[in-house]
Amino acid sequence: MNIYLITLFPELIQQATSFGVLGRAIRQQQLRLLCFNPRDYAEDKHRTVDDRPYGGGPGMLMKVEPLAKAIMAAKQASERHVADKATKVVYLSPQGQQLNQQLVVNIAAQKNDLILIAGRYEGIDERLIEALIDEEWSVGDYVLSGGEFAALVVVDAITRLIPGVLGDDESAIQDSFMQGLLDCPHYTRPETVNGQNVPAVLLSGDHKAIQRWRLKQSLGRTWLRRPDLLNVVKQEATHWDAEKADLLAEFIAEYDEHE
Ligand code: 4FV
């Protein structure tokens, strides 16, 4: 998969994607990440990439021409690689649709190239959004100093879904999130920490009981912490069944008993 990233700080991206699962995926060429820097398209002697907002007010915006040229260069690079499919152009911004696992799954499944635009300053000219951008995505309702951090979240979440990037066991872990539930609690050595023991079932070696316990904990946690996610899971016939309903009922009964 090719992801083209429009950013004023390609070094930030290069360094941040040199580690872990993402770094390995790039080294193994399961992901190609190409940066386009608007500063390389600035033609004034100071290579200016910001400009003042019409109407005044604090802060600057990204200068139109260098940014537009960088986006066009990325589109042309993608068209050289994938001639028959239009590459989605996404601008990371708090005004966008909320990023979630379903959106990431859909993008990864399409196996298309993707162009991500990382804003800086107060953002970009609305006319560029209208002319060149297909979608706006937000990683959360807060303001970052740069869209690079949001773009890295998107790149990481998508890359994990590229076949072969995660090992078999890791992709199994991924499945729990893919079912829309929160993850279950995890434990490692030693068996007692601050007087707290590991749940006995995890030491039992009974893999069926362990799998049941983990699913019950995921259901219970989702019920307690993110009932909004649970409602979505319950609507999805493929993700909800009698076993989950029974396990959740068991968790709730035990929870009410201890409250
Ligand atoms: C953001 C977010 C975000 C806004 C101004 C970059 C910053 C600056 N992007 N989800 N939340 N972007 O805060 O995606 O240009």
Side-chain angles (χ1 to χ4, degrees):
M1 180 171 189
N2 293 312
I3 298 181
Y4 305 84
L5 221 160
I6 315 296
T7 173
L8 291 174
F9 298 112
E11 309 91 333
L12 185 160
I13 299 299
Q14 189 277 326
Q15 288 175 35
T17 57
S18 307
F19 303 91
V21 168
L22 201 39
R24 189 178 63 224
I26 290 172
R27 287 191 298 277
Q28 291 177 354
Q29 297 183 0
Q30 293 161 303
L31 171 75
R32 238 168 40 112
L33 193 55
L34 299 166
C35 290
F36 289 77
N37 185 346
R39 197 174 296 278
D40 295 338
Y41 301 89
E43 294 176 358
D44 66 304
K45 69 175 179 177
H46 298 300
R47 304 181 72 205
T48 310
V49 290
D50 61 344
D51 212 338
R52 290 190 306 282
Y54 282 118
M60 302 288 276
L61 292 175
M62 292 186 77
K63 187 173 176 62
V64 167
E65 189 183 15
L67 176 57
K69 286 182 175 176
I71 296 170
M72 293 314 294
K75 285 168 79 82
Q76 284 149 19
S78 177
E79 278 152 21
R80 282 195 295 275
H81 177 258
V82 184
D84 59 334
K85 290 179 189 171
T87 301
K88 191 187 292 280
V89 181
V90 173
Y91 173 48
L92 283 309
S93 101
Q95 287 72 42
Q97 73 177 94
Q98 179 79 37
L99 186 77
N100 60 31
Q101 190 66 15
Q102 195 52 59
L103 177 55
V104 171
V105 165
N106 295 345
I107 290 295
Q110 288 166 14
K111 295 186 173 59
N112 281 354
D113 286 1
L114 182 64
I115 295 174
L116 298 176
I117 300 168
R120 280 275 159 173
Y121 314 112
E122 299 308 306
I124 72 175
D125 189 294
E126 189 66 18
R127 291 164 297 182
L128 287 188
I129 295 177
E130 288 163 8
L132 297 177
I133 286 162
D134 299 310
E135 296 179 18
E136 288 183 73
W137 295 351
S138 170
V139 294
D141 293 333
Y142 37 77
V143 180
L144 301 169
S145 53
E148 284 80 8
F149 304 105
L152 286 165
V153 166
V154 172
V155 170
D156 188 82
I158 289 173
T159 302
R160 293 171 58 81
L161 298 177
I162 296 173
V165 166
L166 292 183
D168 291 344
D169 54 339
E170 285 174 299
S171 58
I173 293 165
Q174 178 80 15
D175 287 348
S176 69
F177 288 96
M178 303 283 277
Q179 290 174 12
L181 297 172
L182 299 186
D183 201 2
C184 62
H186 295 285
Y187 300 84
T188 186
R189 291 179 298 180
E191 281 190 30
T192 302
V193 174
N194 301 334
Q196 297 283 319
N197 294 323
V198 172
V201 65
L202 298 180
L203 306 175
S204 68
D206 180 343
H207 296 294
K208 195 165 172 51
I210 291 168
Q211 187 180 18
R212 186 179 187 280
W213 179 87
R214 285 175 169 163
L215 178 55
K216 179 175 165 182
Q217 295 302 313
S218 282
L219 288 161
R221 263 186 171 188
T222 311
W223 172 71
L224 282 169
R225 300 183 186 187
R226 291 295 304 276
D228 57 308
L229 290 181
L230 188 63
N231 288 334
V232 170
V233 172
K234 284 181 169 179
Q235 308 300 327
E236 299 264 333
T238 53
H239 284 173
W240 195 252
D241 55 31
E243 183 201 13
K244 289 194 174 86
D246 293 346
L247 281 173
L248 177 58
E250 206 175 289
F251 181 96
I252 294 172
E254 290 164 7
Y255 178 82
D256 290 344
E257 199 179 299
H258 287 100
E259 276 305 289

